[in-house]
Amino acid sequence: MELTIPNMALVLLVGASGSGKSTFAARHFARTQVLSSDFFRGLVSDDENDQTASGVAFDALRYVAGKRLAAGRITVVDATNVQRSSRAELLTLAREHNVLPVAIVLDLPEAVCVQRNESRPDRTFGAAVVRRHRAELRRSLRSLEREGFRKVHVLRSQAEVDAATVVIEPLRNDLRHESGPFDVIGDVHGCRAELTELLERLGYRIALDEAGRPAGAHHPGGRRAVFVGDLVDRGPDTPGVLRLVMGMVAAGDAFAVSGNHEHKLLRALRGRNVKISHGLAESLAQLSAEPAEFGKRVEEFCAGMVAHYVLDGGKLVVAHAGLPEHYHGRASGRVRGFALYGDTTGETDEYGLPVRYPWAEDYRGRAMVLYGHTPIPEAEWVNGTMCLDTGCVFGGRLTALRYPEREVVSVAAHQVWYEPARPLGAPVPSRDHDLPALADVAGRRVVETATHGRITVRAEHAAAALEVMSRFAVDPARLPYLPPTMAPAPTSSRPGLLEHPDEAFAEYLAEGVRSVVCQEKHMGSRAILLARKDDAGALYTRTGRPFFGPQDTGRLLDRARSAITAAGLWAELDTDWLLLDAELMPWNAKAERLIMNQYAATGAAAAAALPVALAELTAAARRGIDVAELLAATGSRAANAEAFRAAYRRYCWPVDGLTGVRFAPFQLLASAGRTYQDRDHGWHLALADRLVAADAELFAPTRHLVVDTGDPDSTAAGVAWWTELTAAGGEGMVVKPMANLVRGERGLVQPGMKVRGREYLRIIYGPDYTEPRHLERLRERGLRHKRTLALREYALGLEGLDRLARDEPLWRVHECVFAVLALESEPVDPRL
């Protein structure tokens, strides 16, 4: 005897004490799936038979059951469950979580139950309790289905119990194993000619029946259609649409979810009392001209339609009126009602139509949701959802979305078949659905990335980032990316040095990366430039803050736009925007206050104090006082301080507005519809050189050298070039895999390592860092956190760029942007 149970269900074992429920549960379900009332009594009172603890025990049981059902887990409640009141609380729980309740009744003879209880020393109650349970059970058997149980399995003997097997079956809406590709088609409403035209444009071959009517369609490439419902009513040929779609579904060439119009048509065909309105009269009239056998097929087809499908591993959901994430894959009257009709605000518009609740504007789910129901002039993305009802029957278009390509394909209506109550082009009240909300970034977050898996952002870091983002950053619509931190090369053991190119070359060689590019490290600040062809862009720091005021920013963006035009990049890349990673120079263009308050102040103090100290110590030595050691140390400190002042001064030069500002791009991050981490750095640097050629006053070149990490002569040339750069006062260089994005045996490879010169590092570690005692201590610096942080931020940046190129909603892009800023932020108590 097979007992079928949906793979998302609340299962109640119902039976008198001693009927064998616990034994049955242990035999057919995993230990973690079963919630036993005895166990929870023991959990709260240390005595599984303490009936005085039942109330508290069942509170705990229902709490755990709710958590399991929220996660979509099969949950089995092992209790007597013979009283309607106790079942009602559990049925309410099932409804709250939109799962199907199932009852498995063990209706064994009273004598068997009594005998089993008598054989157990922990059961001290007599046969009267079993008789009471049995009496309540007999009354329950007549009402279980009316109470709301979707399936009721009754086992009336031990033989039936022994012969029973439990079979877990997927819900009918569960098509996660179907991965596509699909063509999801919006509301057809009886427009058979337009549907045929759209299918042919999508590449389907129409099959005709013996009367020459379209009765199926097959795609030679294996694509399948998915219809979002409302095939019927209003249009000129509802039978023709049904004949075509039913043929496709029967042949496995299509899937179809029910719309509210199919639901109403089914009730009418079954003789129910329905209001003949909204095009139903036309469908009934057209169907009445068809043979009775066809009408019967239509009734069976509509009766078999589900309200929504979950496809492609949960990545795609199709429902007629759309579906919030917490309803995906669930089964209940509430889920079905939303999928068929949507939800309303309770208001009506000026045309007397109900105002639909804009669920898509609040959608934050992982799955793409495609739907129809409410006609709109043109299909557009809203938070990873798209309405495909573009009002064909009202004279608009019949629209499909190719999945996973995300390509919209449509055909024009042949005429206005049905006058709409609200004009198709009438504006629908809406709000900015694209902008990130506080809930999208606050608290602990886990971001899924394609290159580095799940990355966690802790609440205390998010709180700090929220302060910066909300008070100082540029407009979120112009902040699609933040660059990652740059990992330093492994610490060098060479005398007097912390960093040297050989360690970077060796590490990349160990990762299997032979070709690397060494790029000069410019003396400036990391900058991101968003250039738009016909609109304002942005220029901002690696924490999202603007470099300049609005006027200077606008002037720089205008010049960048002109250079991009002169270089021919708009047309070549087929884009109206570019996102560039670059360095903005000089350093003081951004950090003038930091230089004045921190570096210059330190240098000035040293310049004022140390010469005086040297003079006094020298005079003391002349008087015969033994201050040789202190004099030598002070002299060394004075020399270090002068080197420190020289170091930071190299990175500053006079600027007046944009006069003196240089911009050195070194990578094109993204443009409309694509990213460029698959292009090697030679391609990126060549593109940057074209911008330099277009405006050499603003754009600066990035000198570079390609090195083979497995060739000693090539690495020696790389070291010599680094030595030349740093000896001339340069910061150093960045070593990157020439291929750009690279995966090694251990996962994602560092996108770049900075190798900085001895003198530049004085700015980072202080004037006296080269003293042997300080240098040895710094060689013990832990780089692991910095290097893992660089990889996580790099992966987040790539993920954000991919989402941007896919034209995902801004809040999805900003999930990655904000995560990078949070990882860079010092923790702050999130309660503040």
Side-chain angles (χ1 to χ4, degrees):
M1 182 177 182
E2 283 192 355
L3 313 182
T4 58
I5 294 174
N7 63 356
M8 194 183 297
L10 175 64
V11 181
L12 269 61
L13 299 181
V14 183
S17 176
S19 59
K21 298 183 297 301
S22 298
T23 302
F24 182 90
R27 175 184 169 190
H28 295 285
F29 298 99
R31 179 177 57 84
T32 52
Q33 294 176 320
V34 180
L35 306 182
S36 163
S37 59
D38 289 347
F39 172 81
F40 278 90
R41 269 190 290 268
L43 198 65
V44 299
S45 71
D46 294 329
D47 182 358
E48 292 188 353
N49 294 303
D50 183 1
Q51 297 300 313
T52 64
S54 292
V56 178
F58 272 95
D59 281 345
L61 184 151
R62 284 189 292 270
Y63 177 82
V64 175
K67 294 298 183 183
R68 287 187 57 84
L69 295 176
R73 307 291 184 187
I74 288 178
T75 303
V76 181
V77 177
D78 175 15
T80 58
N81 292 316
V82 293
Q83 294 179 328
R84 182 165 186 160
S85 58
S86 60
R87 293 193 300 271
E89 293 179 339
L90 293 169
L91 285 167
T92 298
L93 196 63
R95 285 191 293 272
E96 288 174 356
H97 294 283
N98 301 293
V99 300
L100 297 178
V102 175
I104 298 179
V105 181
L106 276 65
D107 186 17
L108 270 63
E110 179 182 323
V112 173
C113 298
V114 171
Q115 182 181 3
R116 287 175 177 170
N117 284 331
E118 289 176 346
S119 67
R120 292 179 56 178
D122 59 333
R123 296 291 171 89
T124 57
F125 50 81
V129 172
V130 174
R131 281 195 295 273
R132 187 177 74 249
H133 287 173
R134 290 274 301 155
E136 291 171 331
L137 177 61
R138 304 310 298 176
R139 290 192 294 271
S140 296
L141 286 175
R142 296 190 293 268
S143 65
L144 289 176
E145 291 186 357
R146 292 196 303 273
E147 291 175 26
F149 286 96
R150 292 298 182 93
K151 292 189 176 183
V152 178
H153 302 292
V154 182
L155 305 175
R156 301 186 183 279
S157 68
Q158 187 59 46
E160 289 186 359
V161 172
D162 293 340
T165 58
V166 173
V167 177
I168 308 299
E169 60 182 8
L171 292 169
R172 292 179 59 213
N173 59 32
D174 186 356
L175 295 183
R176 287 175 294 175
H177 58 283
E178 300 286 358
S179 58
F182 301 115
D183 299 302
V184 186
I185 299 175
D187 300 35
V188 181
H189 278 303
C191 299
R192 198 274 307 156
E194 289 89 342
L195 174 59
T196 303
E197 182 182 346
L198 178 62
L199 288 170
E200 289 176 337
R201 182 169 294 185
L202 290 167
Y204 289 79
R205 295 174 181 171
I206 307 298
L208 305 178
D209 64 10
E210 64 280 357
R213 299 169 299 191
H218 175 76
H219 197 288
R223 302 182 70 89
R224 286 173 290 177
V226 185
F227 293 91
V228 305
D230 277 6
L231 302 167
V232 305
D233 294 350
R234 294 178 173 150
D237 192 4
T238 285
V241 171
L242 288 169
R243 185 178 292 108
L244 175 54
V245 174
M246 289 191 301
M248 293 179 69
V249 172
D253 291 314
F255 303 99
V257 299
S258 177
N260 58 301
H261 283 261
E262 281 81 35
H263 182 240
K264 191 174 182 180
L265 175 62
L266 175 63
R267 296 174 63 215
L269 292 174
R270 288 180 168 177
R272 303 288 177 82
N273 183 23
V274 297
K275 186 177 180 180
I276 309 299
S277 60
H278 302 298
L280 178 58
E282 286 80 357
S283 290
L284 293 175
Q286 293 164 17
L287 288 169
S288 67
E290 298 287 333
E293 182 273 335
F294 182 79
K296 187 65 176 175
R297 282 179 54 207
V298 169
E299 181 181 339
E300 292 174 355
F301 176 72
C302 292
M305 299 174 87
V306 300
H308 79 281
Y309 279 128
V310 180
L311 302 126
D312 193 17
K315 298 175 186 175
L316 174 64
V317 171
V318 179
H320 175 61
L323 207 62
E325 186 179 32
H326 60 278
Y327 286 163
H328 294 179
R330 304 275 169 163
S332 71
R334 179 166 49 214
V335 173
R336 181 174 177 82
F338 196 108
L340 291 177
Y341 296 96
D343 199 3
T344 64
T345 65
E347 303 168 295
T348 56
D349 62 17
E350 63 269 35
Y351 303 100
L353 298 175
V355 176
R356 305 288 179 188
Y357 178 75
W359 66 272
E361 296 182 3
D362 298 319
Y363 182 71
R364 295 294 188 266
R366 297 175 182 273
M368 178 190 300
V369 181
L370 301 178
Y371 61 102
H373 189 53
T374 303
I376 56 176
E378 186 176 349
E380 65 174 348
W381 289 107
V382 178
N383 292 331
T385 78
M386 179 177 277
C387 176
L388 297 173
D389 182 3
T390 47
C392 181
V393 76
F394 302 126
R397 303 184 70 83
L398 183 60
T399 297
L401 180 82
R402 291 181 182 270
Y403 176 92
E405 298 88 345
R406 297 168 64 96
E407 176 189 355
V408 175
V409 180
S410 63
V411 298
H414 293 181
Q415 67 176 72
V416 176
W417 299 106
Y418 196 93
E419 289 293 341
R422 176 174 55 218
L424 188 58
V428 178
S430 182
R431 63 181 189 271
D432 290 331
H433 55 75
D434 207 31
L435 295 177
L438 179 61
D440 295 326
V441 294
R444 182 180 181 273
R445 311 287 299 174
V446 177
V447 183
E448 291 279 358
T449 67
T451 54
H452 205 57
R454 294 160 62 88
I455 297 175
T456 301
V457 177
R458 294 164 58 187
E460 53 268 35
H461 293 280
L466 188 62
E467 170 79 2
V468 174
M469 189 70 77
S470 59
R471 293 185 61 192
F472 306 114
V474 300
D475 182 346
R478 292 181 283 128
L479 182 60
Y481 174 81
L482 286 180
T485 188
M486 182 70 69
T491 302
S492 174
S493 59
R494 286 170 177 74
L497 295 177
L498 271 181
E499 296 176 8
H500 190 272
D502 277 345
E503 280 71 28
F505 296 151
E507 178 161 321
Y508 278 127
L509 182 62
E511 290 280 6
V513 179
R514 287 288 299 258
S515 181
V516 298
V517 60
C518 304
Q519 299 178 3
E520 69 168 313
K521 203 166 188 308
H522 292 286
M523 299 184 293
S525 305
R526 190 78 171 267
I528 301 298
L529 176 75
L530 173 63
R532 290 176 174 167
K533 187 176 181 180
D534 302 314
D535 194 5
L539 175 69
Y540 54 87
T541 71
R542 63 183 305 266
T543 58
R545 306 177 190 222
F547 276 97
F548 308 112
Q551 186 173 357
D552 284 340
T553 299
R555 289 171 52 211
L556 189 146
L557 291 173
D558 287 341
R559 289 184 61 179
R561 190 181 301 114
S562 298
I564 294 168
T565 302
L569 297 181
W570 301 122
E572 181 179 322
L573 299 172
D574 188 23
T575 185
D576 59 359
W577 61 268
L578 295 176
L579 192 66
L580 292 166
D581 199 354
E583 196 85 1
L584 188 136
M585 301 171 284
W587 185 32
N588 55 291
K590 180 191 85 167
E592 184 173 9
R593 183 174 298 178
L594 173 70
I595 294 168
M596 294 295 294
N597 293 342
Q598 181 169 319
Y599 298 102
T602 300
L610 291 175
V612 175
L614 275 174
E616 292 297 327
L617 289 169
T618 301
R622 290 193 187 116
R623 295 195 301 272
I625 302 173
D626 185 11
V627 292
E629 184 176 346
L630 182 57
L631 179 61
T634 304
S636 178
R637 290 184 64 200
N640 291 341
E642 188 55 35
F644 174 76
R645 296 178 75 193
Y648 73 74
R649 283 174 172 173
R650 291 191 187 101
Y651 298 89
C652 307
W653 61 72
V655 294
D656 181 13
L658 294 183
T659 304
V661 171
R662 304 295 304 281
F663 189 78
F666 49 80
Q667 185 164 354
L668 174 60
L669 296 165
S671 65
R674 69 156 303 163
T675 57
Y676 295 93
Q677 63 266 22
D678 58 336
R679 301 291 185 95
D680 68 42
H681 283 290
W683 180 89
H684 289 273
L685 292 167
L687 185 145
D689 287 342
R690 291 165 62 182
L691 294 174
V692 174
D695 186 347
E697 183 181 349
L698 174 63
F699 289 98
T702 297
R703 291 178 291 171
H704 57 280
L705 177 72
V706 178
V707 170
D708 181 346
T709 60
D711 181 348
D713 291 337
S714 184
T715 58
V719 170
W721 190 60
W722 174 81
T723 303
E724 178 186 336
L725 288 173
T726 55
E731 179 177 338
M733 69 187 187
V734 178
V735 184
K736 302 177 179 179
M738 186 65 175
N740 207 341
L741 173 62
V742 174
R743 287 183 176 277
E745 293 182 358
R746 293 176 292 182
L748 198 61
V749 171
Q750 287 287 352
M753 283 184 263
K754 54 189 177 185
V755 187
R756 296 161 293 184
R758 169 185 165 95
E759 291 308 311
Y760 171 79
L761 286 174
R762 289 190 193 277
I763 301 174
I764 307 301
Y765 293 116
D768 298 324
Y769 95 99
T770 52
E771 296 296 320
R773 67 183 187 279
H774 296 312
L775 201 59
E776 288 308 310
R777 175 177 54 82
L778 287 171
R779 285 201 172 100
E780 301 301 319
R781 61 184 178 158
L783 299 181
R784 182 176 178 276
H785 172 72
K786 185 75 170 180
R787 294 165 69 80
T788 58
L789 182 66
L791 284 177
R792 284 181 287 155
E793 292 180 6
Y794 177 53
L796 286 166
L798 293 179
E799 181 66 25
L801 291 173
D802 284 340
R803 295 178 183 185
L804 178 68
R806 292 194 299 264
D807 199 26
E808 294 195 25
L810 182 61
W811 68 266
R812 283 272 295 162
V813 177
H814 252 261
E815 182 180 39
C816 304
V817 175
F818 189 87
V820 172
L821 184 59
L823 291 179
E824 283 288 309
S825 302
E826 292 295 326
V828 170
D829 189 331
R831 295 171 296 180
L832 297 179

